[in-house]
Short mmCIF file of all heavy atoms in Angstrom, two decimals:
data_model
loop_
_atom_site.label_atom_id
_atom_site.label_comp_id
_atom_site.label_asym_id
_atom_site.label_seq_id
_atom_site.Cartn_x
_atom_site.Cartn_y
_atom_site.Cartn_z
N GLY A 1 218.02 -98.06 -35.08
CA GLY A 1 218.46 -96.88 -35.72
C GLY A 1 219.88 -97.00 -36.31
O GLY A 1 220.14 -96.65 -37.45
N ASN A 2 220.79 -97.51 -35.51
CA ASN A 2 222.20 -97.65 -35.94
C ASN A 2 222.34 -98.84 -36.85
O ASN A 2 223.10 -98.86 -37.78
CB ASN A 2 223.17 -97.76 -34.72
CG ASN A 2 223.36 -96.40 -34.08
OD1 ASN A 2 223.10 -95.38 -34.67
ND2 ASN A 2 223.83 -96.41 -32.85
N PHE A 3 221.55 -99.94 -36.65
CA PHE A 3 221.59 -101.09 -37.52
C PHE A 3 221.13 -100.71 -38.87
O PHE A 3 221.78 -101.11 -39.87
CB PHE A 3 220.72 -102.19 -36.88
CG PHE A 3 220.68 -103.48 -37.70
CD1 PHE A 3 221.80 -104.27 -37.76
CD2 PHE A 3 219.53 -103.93 -38.33
CE1 PHE A 3 221.80 -105.46 -38.51
CE2 PHE A 3 219.47 -105.06 -39.06
CZ PHE A 3 220.61 -105.84 -39.14
N TYR A 4 220.08 -99.95 -38.98
CA TYR A 4 219.54 -99.53 -40.28
C TYR A 4 220.62 -98.75 -41.02
O TYR A 4 220.84 -98.93 -42.23
CB TYR A 4 218.31 -98.68 -40.05
CG TYR A 4 217.78 -98.04 -41.29
CD1 TYR A 4 216.92 -98.80 -42.16
CD2 TYR A 4 218.08 -96.78 -41.69
CE1 TYR A 4 216.40 -98.21 -43.36
CE2 TYR A 4 217.59 -96.22 -42.88
CZ TYR A 4 216.76 -96.93 -43.67
OH TYR A 4 216.29 -96.37 -44.81
N ASP A 5 221.30 -97.80 -40.35
CA ASP A 5 222.34 -97.01 -41.00
C ASP A 5 223.46 -97.93 -41.52
O ASP A 5 223.93 -97.72 -42.61
CB ASP A 5 222.97 -96.04 -40.01
CG ASP A 5 221.99 -94.85 -39.72
OD1 ASP A 5 220.96 -94.73 -40.41
OD2 ASP A 5 222.31 -94.10 -38.76
N ARG A 6 223.88 -98.87 -40.73
CA ARG A 6 224.99 -99.78 -41.13
C ARG A 6 224.52 -100.63 -42.32
O ARG A 6 225.34 -100.87 -43.25
CB ARG A 6 225.37 -100.67 -39.99
CG ARG A 6 226.17 -99.94 -38.94
CD ARG A 6 226.80 -100.90 -37.92
NE ARG A 6 227.49 -100.19 -36.93
CZ ARG A 6 227.05 -99.87 -35.77
NH1 ARG A 6 225.81 -100.23 -35.37
NH2 ARG A 6 227.77 -99.12 -34.91
N LEU A 7 223.30 -101.00 -42.34
CA LEU A 7 222.80 -101.83 -43.44
C LEU A 7 222.69 -101.08 -44.72
O LEU A 7 223.13 -101.51 -45.83
CB LEU A 7 221.39 -102.38 -43.04
CG LEU A 7 221.04 -103.80 -43.42
CD1 LEU A 7 222.07 -104.78 -42.84
CD2 LEU A 7 219.69 -104.16 -42.92
N VAL A 8 222.11 -99.87 -44.63
CA VAL A 8 221.82 -99.04 -45.80
C VAL A 8 223.04 -98.24 -46.28
O VAL A 8 223.33 -98.19 -47.47
CB VAL A 8 220.62 -98.10 -45.54
CG1 VAL A 8 220.43 -97.05 -46.65
CG2 VAL A 8 219.36 -98.91 -45.28
N HIS A 9 223.80 -97.65 -45.35
CA HIS A 9 224.91 -96.71 -45.72
C HIS A 9 226.28 -97.36 -45.49
O HIS A 9 227.27 -96.74 -45.92
CB HIS A 9 224.80 -95.43 -44.96
CG HIS A 9 223.47 -94.81 -45.03
ND1 HIS A 9 222.93 -94.28 -46.22
CD2 HIS A 9 222.57 -94.56 -44.09
CE1 HIS A 9 221.76 -93.80 -45.93
NE2 HIS A 9 221.49 -93.95 -44.70
N GLN A 10 226.39 -98.41 -44.73
CA GLN A 10 227.67 -98.99 -44.33
C GLN A 10 228.40 -98.15 -43.26
O GLN A 10 229.54 -98.35 -42.99
CB GLN A 10 228.61 -99.22 -45.51
CG GLN A 10 227.97 -100.13 -46.60
CD GLN A 10 227.60 -101.50 -46.03
OE1 GLN A 10 228.42 -102.18 -45.47
NE2 GLN A 10 226.38 -101.90 -46.22
N TYR A 11 227.71 -97.17 -42.68
CA TYR A 11 228.28 -96.33 -41.60
C TYR A 11 227.10 -95.76 -40.81
O TYR A 11 225.96 -95.78 -41.28
CB TYR A 11 229.19 -95.28 -42.13
CG TYR A 11 228.50 -94.32 -43.10
CD1 TYR A 11 227.77 -93.23 -42.62
CD2 TYR A 11 228.60 -94.51 -44.46
CE1 TYR A 11 227.18 -92.32 -43.49
CE2 TYR A 11 227.96 -93.61 -45.35
CZ TYR A 11 227.26 -92.53 -44.89
OH TYR A 11 226.66 -91.69 -45.72
N VAL A 12 227.39 -95.25 -39.65
CA VAL A 12 226.41 -94.60 -38.82
C VAL A 12 226.78 -93.09 -38.77
O VAL A 12 227.94 -92.76 -38.63
CB VAL A 12 226.43 -95.17 -37.37
CG1 VAL A 12 225.55 -94.37 -36.47
CG2 VAL A 12 226.04 -96.63 -37.36
N VAL A 13 225.76 -92.24 -38.91
CA VAL A 13 226.01 -90.81 -38.84
C VAL A 13 225.97 -90.41 -37.42
O VAL A 13 225.04 -90.59 -36.68
CB VAL A 13 224.85 -90.06 -39.56
CG1 VAL A 13 224.99 -88.53 -39.36
CG2 VAL A 13 224.90 -90.36 -41.09
N ASP A 14 227.12 -89.84 -36.94
CA ASP A 14 227.23 -89.25 -35.62
C ASP A 14 227.39 -87.75 -35.76
O ASP A 14 227.98 -87.31 -36.78
CB ASP A 14 228.47 -89.81 -34.89
CG ASP A 14 228.27 -91.29 -34.49
OD1 ASP A 14 227.14 -91.72 -34.27
OD2 ASP A 14 229.29 -92.05 -34.36
N PHE A 15 226.91 -86.98 -34.81
CA PHE A 15 226.94 -85.50 -34.97
C PHE A 15 226.89 -84.72 -33.71
O PHE A 15 227.10 -83.52 -33.70
CB PHE A 15 225.83 -85.08 -35.90
CG PHE A 15 224.45 -85.47 -35.34
CD1 PHE A 15 223.72 -84.56 -34.57
CD2 PHE A 15 223.88 -86.66 -35.72
CE1 PHE A 15 222.48 -84.89 -34.07
CE2 PHE A 15 222.63 -87.01 -35.22
CZ PHE A 15 221.91 -86.17 -34.37
N ILE A 16 226.77 -85.34 -32.56
CA ILE A 16 226.72 -84.62 -31.27
C ILE A 16 228.10 -84.76 -30.63
O ILE A 16 228.57 -85.87 -30.36
CB ILE A 16 225.63 -85.14 -30.39
CG1 ILE A 16 224.29 -85.00 -31.06
CG2 ILE A 16 225.63 -84.36 -29.03
CD1 ILE A 16 223.13 -85.79 -30.34
N TYR A 17 228.76 -83.63 -30.35
CA TYR A 17 230.09 -83.65 -29.80
C TYR A 17 230.11 -82.86 -28.54
O TYR A 17 229.93 -81.67 -28.53
CB TYR A 17 231.13 -83.08 -30.83
CG TYR A 17 232.51 -83.04 -30.35
CD1 TYR A 17 233.11 -84.07 -29.65
CD2 TYR A 17 233.30 -81.90 -30.50
CE1 TYR A 17 234.44 -84.01 -29.17
CE2 TYR A 17 234.61 -81.80 -30.06
CZ TYR A 17 235.14 -82.88 -29.37
OH TYR A 17 236.47 -82.82 -28.95
N PHE A 18 230.34 -83.54 -27.42
CA PHE A 18 230.48 -82.94 -26.09
C PHE A 18 231.99 -82.65 -25.91
O PHE A 18 232.74 -83.41 -25.34
CB PHE A 18 229.96 -83.90 -25.02
CG PHE A 18 229.76 -83.27 -23.70
CD1 PHE A 18 229.11 -82.08 -23.51
CD2 PHE A 18 230.28 -83.91 -22.56
CE1 PHE A 18 228.91 -81.54 -22.26
CE2 PHE A 18 230.12 -83.40 -21.33
CZ PHE A 18 229.39 -82.18 -21.16
N CYS A 19 232.40 -81.45 -26.41
CA CYS A 19 233.78 -81.15 -26.45
C CYS A 19 234.40 -80.74 -25.10
O CYS A 19 235.61 -80.72 -24.92
CB CYS A 19 234.04 -80.02 -27.44
SG CYS A 19 233.09 -78.52 -27.20
N LEU A 20 233.57 -80.46 -24.10
CA LEU A 20 234.05 -80.08 -22.80
C LEU A 20 235.00 -81.13 -22.20
O LEU A 20 236.03 -80.88 -21.65
CB LEU A 20 232.88 -79.85 -21.81
CG LEU A 20 233.26 -79.50 -20.38
CD1 LEU A 20 233.96 -78.12 -20.34
CD2 LEU A 20 232.02 -79.51 -19.50
N ILE A 21 234.66 -82.42 -22.48
CA ILE A 21 235.47 -83.52 -21.98
C ILE A 21 236.03 -84.34 -23.14
O ILE A 21 236.48 -85.45 -22.94
CB ILE A 21 234.67 -84.42 -21.01
CG1 ILE A 21 233.46 -84.99 -21.65
CG2 ILE A 21 234.35 -83.71 -19.71
CD1 ILE A 21 232.71 -86.03 -20.87
N ASP A 22 235.94 -83.80 -24.36
CA ASP A 22 236.44 -84.47 -25.56
C ASP A 22 235.82 -85.85 -25.70
O ASP A 22 236.55 -86.81 -25.94
CB ASP A 22 237.96 -84.54 -25.57
CG ASP A 22 238.49 -84.89 -26.97
OD1 ASP A 22 237.79 -84.61 -27.95
OD2 ASP A 22 239.58 -85.48 -27.03
N PHE A 23 234.48 -85.96 -25.44
CA PHE A 23 233.77 -87.20 -25.49
C PHE A 23 233.60 -87.59 -26.99
O PHE A 23 233.40 -86.67 -27.85
CB PHE A 23 232.42 -87.06 -24.81
CG PHE A 23 231.74 -88.36 -24.53
CD1 PHE A 23 232.14 -89.12 -23.46
CD2 PHE A 23 230.73 -88.82 -25.36
CE1 PHE A 23 231.54 -90.31 -23.16
CE2 PHE A 23 230.12 -90.05 -25.07
CZ PHE A 23 230.52 -90.78 -24.00
N PRO A 24 233.68 -88.86 -27.33
CA PRO A 24 233.42 -89.26 -28.71
C PRO A 24 232.09 -88.74 -29.30
O PRO A 24 231.12 -88.64 -28.58
CB PRO A 24 233.44 -90.82 -28.68
CG PRO A 24 234.25 -91.12 -27.45
CD PRO A 24 233.96 -90.02 -26.48
N ILE A 25 232.08 -88.49 -30.56
CA ILE A 25 230.91 -87.97 -31.24
C ILE A 25 229.83 -89.11 -31.29
O ILE A 25 230.17 -90.28 -31.56
CB ILE A 25 231.26 -87.47 -32.66
CG1 ILE A 25 232.34 -86.39 -32.52
CG2 ILE A 25 230.08 -86.99 -33.42
CD1 ILE A 25 233.03 -85.99 -33.82
N PHE A 26 228.57 -88.74 -31.02
CA PHE A 26 227.49 -89.75 -30.93
C PHE A 26 226.24 -89.23 -31.61
O PHE A 26 226.24 -88.12 -32.17
CB PHE A 26 227.30 -90.13 -29.50
CG PHE A 26 226.94 -88.95 -28.56
CD1 PHE A 26 225.66 -88.63 -28.28
CD2 PHE A 26 227.95 -88.17 -28.00
CE1 PHE A 26 225.36 -87.63 -27.45
CE2 PHE A 26 227.68 -87.13 -27.18
CZ PHE A 26 226.37 -86.82 -26.82
N ASN A 27 225.17 -89.99 -31.55
CA ASN A 27 223.92 -89.61 -32.18
C ASN A 27 222.76 -89.95 -31.25
O ASN A 27 222.98 -90.41 -30.14
CB ASN A 27 223.80 -90.33 -33.55
CG ASN A 27 223.74 -91.79 -33.41
OD1 ASN A 27 223.08 -92.36 -32.56
ND2 ASN A 27 224.46 -92.50 -34.30
N VAL A 28 221.55 -89.69 -31.66
CA VAL A 28 220.36 -89.88 -30.85
C VAL A 28 220.12 -91.35 -30.48
O VAL A 28 219.82 -91.70 -29.37
CB VAL A 28 219.13 -89.30 -31.54
CG1 VAL A 28 217.83 -89.64 -30.82
CG2 VAL A 28 219.28 -87.77 -31.69
N ALA A 29 220.38 -92.25 -31.43
CA ALA A 29 220.23 -93.71 -31.15
C ALA A 29 221.23 -94.15 -30.04
O ALA A 29 220.89 -94.94 -29.21
CB ALA A 29 220.50 -94.54 -32.42
N ASP A 30 222.45 -93.55 -30.05
CA ASP A 30 223.45 -93.83 -29.02
C ASP A 30 222.90 -93.41 -27.64
O ASP A 30 223.13 -94.03 -26.63
CB ASP A 30 224.74 -93.18 -29.31
CG ASP A 30 225.41 -93.68 -30.57
OD1 ASP A 30 225.14 -94.82 -30.95
OD2 ASP A 30 226.22 -92.91 -31.14
N ILE A 31 222.22 -92.24 -27.67
CA ILE A 31 221.62 -91.72 -26.40
C ILE A 31 220.58 -92.70 -25.88
O ILE A 31 220.49 -93.03 -24.70
CB ILE A 31 221.02 -90.33 -26.59
CG1 ILE A 31 222.17 -89.32 -26.92
CG2 ILE A 31 220.21 -89.90 -25.38
CD1 ILE A 31 221.63 -87.95 -27.36
N TYR A 32 219.72 -93.17 -26.80
CA TYR A 32 218.70 -94.18 -26.38
C TYR A 32 219.33 -95.38 -25.73
O TYR A 32 218.90 -95.82 -24.64
CB TYR A 32 217.92 -94.71 -27.61
CG TYR A 32 217.07 -93.71 -28.36
CD1 TYR A 32 216.70 -94.00 -29.66
CD2 TYR A 32 216.65 -92.53 -27.84
CE1 TYR A 32 215.92 -93.14 -30.40
CE2 TYR A 32 215.89 -91.63 -28.58
CZ TYR A 32 215.48 -91.95 -29.87
OH TYR A 32 214.74 -91.11 -30.57
N VAL A 33 220.33 -95.96 -26.39
CA VAL A 33 220.95 -97.19 -25.87
C VAL A 33 221.65 -96.92 -24.54
O VAL A 33 221.48 -97.67 -23.58
CB VAL A 33 221.92 -97.80 -26.90
CG1 VAL A 33 222.76 -98.92 -26.33
CG2 VAL A 33 221.16 -98.20 -28.13
N THR A 34 222.42 -95.86 -24.43
CA THR A 34 223.20 -95.54 -23.23
C THR A 34 222.25 -95.24 -22.10
O THR A 34 222.41 -95.83 -20.96
CB THR A 34 224.15 -94.36 -23.51
OG1 THR A 34 224.98 -94.67 -24.59
CG2 THR A 34 225.00 -94.10 -22.22
#
């Protein structure tokens, strides 16, 4: 998922922000990997 984004767009779209602990913004593919 993230490889495809980097190949096609030159960036990865991140959009989930856990602001309670100011965690870096992430996406669904990041959830899969983690």
